[in-house]
């Protein structure tokens, strides 16, 4: 820490966005507002037309950001604590709105003064420099900053500390002719962007292969390629929604014991980079979808509309959220059938609705458990409270057993007797599915279910054995 202590009485001015915290409070305010008032998002254009200072002021007045959960840079905070212990006057000088700046200052207790944007002035770049010079006179100042807007302040400061610089700030630091320190994170933004895409969740999209498998089209190369393209489309589309979902859930994720480490909640990946990545994934998904039947593109479009509605509003509605999730899983199966131009049976759709509703309820059950006693709608970011735990668990188990009942009725139906030579060989499927469902719920109640239950099934070796046995039963019943 002592490395950063400057033995001088000169005031130290510290930038907030990108310097003191990993992130930008303007972008965060935008997404907080979008989550709170999705239908009022159009108002942003009117505020922006009046100027950036007005936009920041309106957003700060309408949103609440918890300063205690922001992703502070530990090394910068440690440096400021050392300077304060040495008696150095420290000023928070930021282009963020004054409401947010004072909230950060009050939380940290490190600053003697706050300079920030108000409704009239956007305190960045030259405007910030003029305010600092008026404050310091000929005394001079030191400065912590990180971006292109801070270059003029680096030039004017007696000493500059460049924190996780952007391209312009890094270029200035490389050619600086005056004292300049560098504080840079070790985290990889590229690795964070890949993590934000959640490629491990793509395993859920193998559901698009279900119609091809049930039609026994295992050796049809055209159908295999078609199903693979459908899988890629859903994977890219889903990743774009995961990113949007994370941006809308910043506040709730930062209060969660594990989700706070996600790339956006932790500040590893800048919000603008995430928006660009999401847009690229979305465009790529629909570009590939043009190679498939138009009905598939319609299903993909429905999936995107439904998931976007889920991200903005439905995920916070009691029970509507889990019913939507179950419907989205079933949509993947329907889309897989549309891609290969196959019509799915009532039995498959009924089974999938009940089965995936059970898994969606597992997900909510685990989230309520993670928040513990006293969990409420505000802390969970959902429509559930702690007393709902037993109800969610009972509904989930009942839904799982209902899916097995549908499967049993299907096995005894006339359709199965027409499709399979030995339909009685399919009966062991019922206990296999029961095993998967009950085991997941047992693990959830023990607190051992730490990931999406669908992803868990795809990666759990016991569940994989059950699925392989089930596939073998289908093959034996059909061809022996």
């Amino acid at each position: 820490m002592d490395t950063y202590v400057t033995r001088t009485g000169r005031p130290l001015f510290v930038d907030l966005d990108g310097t003191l915290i990993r992130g930008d409070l303007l972008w965060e305010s935008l997404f907080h507002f979008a989550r709170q008032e999705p239908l009022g998002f159009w108002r942003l254009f009117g505020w922006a037309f009046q100027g950036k200072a007005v936009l920041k002021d309106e957003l700060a007045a309408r949103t609440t950001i918890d300063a205690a959960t922001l992703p502070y840079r530990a090394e910068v905070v440690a440096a400021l604590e050392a300077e304060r212990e040495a008696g150095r006057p420290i000023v928070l000088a930021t282009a963020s709105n004054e409401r947010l700046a004072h909230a950060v200052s009050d939380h940290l207790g490190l600053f003697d003064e706050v300079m920030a944007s108000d409704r009239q002035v956007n305190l960045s770049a030259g405007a910030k420099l003029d305010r600092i010079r008026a404050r310091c006179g000929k005394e001079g100042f030191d400065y912590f900053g990180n971006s292109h807007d801070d270059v003029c302040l680096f030039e004017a400061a007696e000493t500059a500390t460049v924190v996780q610089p952007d391209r312009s700030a890094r270029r200035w630091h490389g050619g600086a002719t005056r004292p300049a320190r560098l504080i840079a994170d070790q985290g990889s933004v590229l690795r964070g962007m890949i993590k934000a895409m959640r490629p491990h969740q793509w395993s859920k999209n193998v559901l698009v292969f279900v119609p091809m498998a049930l039609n026994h089209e295992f050796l049809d190369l055209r159908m295999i390629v078609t199903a693979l393209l459908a899988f890629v489309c859903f994977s890219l589309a889903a990743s774009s929604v995961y990113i949007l979902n994370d941006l809308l859930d910043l506040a709730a994720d930062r209060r969660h014991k594990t989700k706070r480490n996600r790339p956006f909640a932790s500040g590893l990946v800048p919000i603008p980079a995430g928006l660009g990545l999401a847009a690229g994934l979305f465009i790529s998904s629909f570009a590939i979808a043009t190679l498939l039947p138009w009905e598939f593109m319609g299903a993909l479009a429905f999936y995107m509309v439904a998931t976007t509605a889920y991200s903005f509003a439905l995920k916070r509605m009691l029970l509507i959220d889990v019913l939507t999730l179950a419907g989205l899983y079933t949509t993947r199966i329907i889309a897989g059938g549309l891609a290969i131009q196959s019509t799915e049976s009532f039995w498959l759709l009924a089974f999938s609705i009940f089965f995936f509703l059970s898994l969606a309820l597992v997900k909510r059950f685990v989230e309520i458990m993670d928040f513990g006693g006293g969990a409420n709608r505000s802390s969970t970011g959902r429509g559930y409270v702690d007393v709902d735990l037993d109800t969610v668990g009972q509904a989930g188990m009942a839904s799982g057993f209902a899916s097995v009942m549908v499967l049993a009725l299907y096995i005894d139906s006339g359709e199965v007797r027409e499709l399979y030579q030995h339909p009685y060989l399919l009966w062991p499927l019922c206990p296999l599915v029961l095993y998967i469902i009950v085991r997941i719920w047992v693990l959830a109640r023990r607190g051992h279910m730490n990931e999406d239950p669908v992803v868990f099934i795809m990666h759990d070796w016991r569940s994989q054995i059950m699925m392989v046995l089930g596939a073998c039963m289908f093959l034996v019943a059909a061809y022996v």
Side-chain angles (χ1 to χ4, degrees), residues 147-413:
S147 70
H148 169 78
D149 288 341
D150 295 318
V151 170
C152 63
L153 290 116
F154 293 150
E155 289 286 351
E158 296 297 321
T159 62
T161 299
V162 184
V163 181
Q164 195 62 25
D166 64 10
R167 186 176 301 176
S168 297
R170 187 175 295 278
R171 187 184 306 116
W172 179 87
H173 180 264
T177 57
R178 62 182 65 221
R181 295 187 289 261
L182 177 67
I183 298 177
D185 290 343
Q186 301 300 315
S188 168
V189 175
L190 177 60
R191 188 178 298 115
M193 293 174 76
I194 294 173
K195 183 178 179 181
M197 292 169 60
R198 303 189 205 175
H200 64 284
Q201 297 276 10
W202 292 354
S203 57
K204 292 188 285 190
N205 298 316
V206 299
L207 293 171
V208 300
F209 292 98
V210 169
M212 183 186 73
L214 294 181
N215 287 340
H216 306 160
E217 303 288 353
F218 307 109
L219 303 177
D220 189 322
L221 182 60
R222 184 188 66 82
M223 285 198 176
I224 292 173
V225 171
T226 299
L228 282 171
L229 290 175
F231 173 83
V232 172
C233 287
F234 265 87
S235 297
L236 298 179
S239 288
S240 69
V241 176
Y242 293 147
I243 292 171
L244 177 62
N245 191 58
D246 284 353
L247 293 175
L248 292 170
D249 269 357
L250 284 173
D253 285 352
R254 285 174 180 160
R255 292 191 294 267
H256 194 275
K257 63 181 181 181
T258 58
K259 292 181 180 180
R260 64 188 177 191
N261 297 317
R262 285 178 171 176
F264 298 110
S266 67
L268 175 60
V269 179
I271 291 177
L275 286 174
L277 178 60
L281 292 168
F282 175 83
I283 293 170
S284 299
S285 174
F286 278 86
I288 296 172
T290 60
L291 303 174
L292 299 173
W294 67 268
E295 294 91 346
F296 170 83
M297 185 177 289
L300 182 63
F302 170 81
Y303 172 84
M304 291 298 295
V305 170
T307 50
T308 302
Y310 175 81
S311 296
F312 275 97
L314 300 183
K315 68 191 299 180
R316 291 181 291 281
M317 297 182 181
L318 180 68
L319 298 181
I320 299 297
D321 59 339
V322 290
L323 290 169
T324 301
L325 285 176
L328 291 173
Y329 287 124
T330 304
T331 298
R332 290 172 168 92
I333 296 175
I334 295 172
L338 294 173
I340 63 172
Q341 299 182 312
S342 169
T343 302
E344 301 318 312
S345 72
F346 160 81
W347 295 108
L348 174 60
L349 300 182
F351 169 81
S352 66
I353 282 290
F354 284 113
F355 182 78
F356 291 117
L357 177 59
S358 180
L359 298 187
L361 287 163
V362 169
K363 190 173 183 179
R364 288 295 172 265
F365 182 89
V366 171
E367 288 176 351
I368 299 171
M369 281 190 65
D370 285 345
F371 280 100
N376 53 49
R377 291 181 178 89
S378 176
S379 63
T380 63
R382 302 288 188 264
Y384 301 87
V385 296
D386 53 1
V387 297
D388 296 330
L389 190 67
D390 287 340
T391 301
V392 170
Q394 292 165 9
M397 287 290 290
S399 182
F401 277 85
S403 70
V404 178
M405 178 62 72
V406 171
L407 178 60
L409 293 172
Y410 168 68
I411 292 172
D412 197 44
S413 70

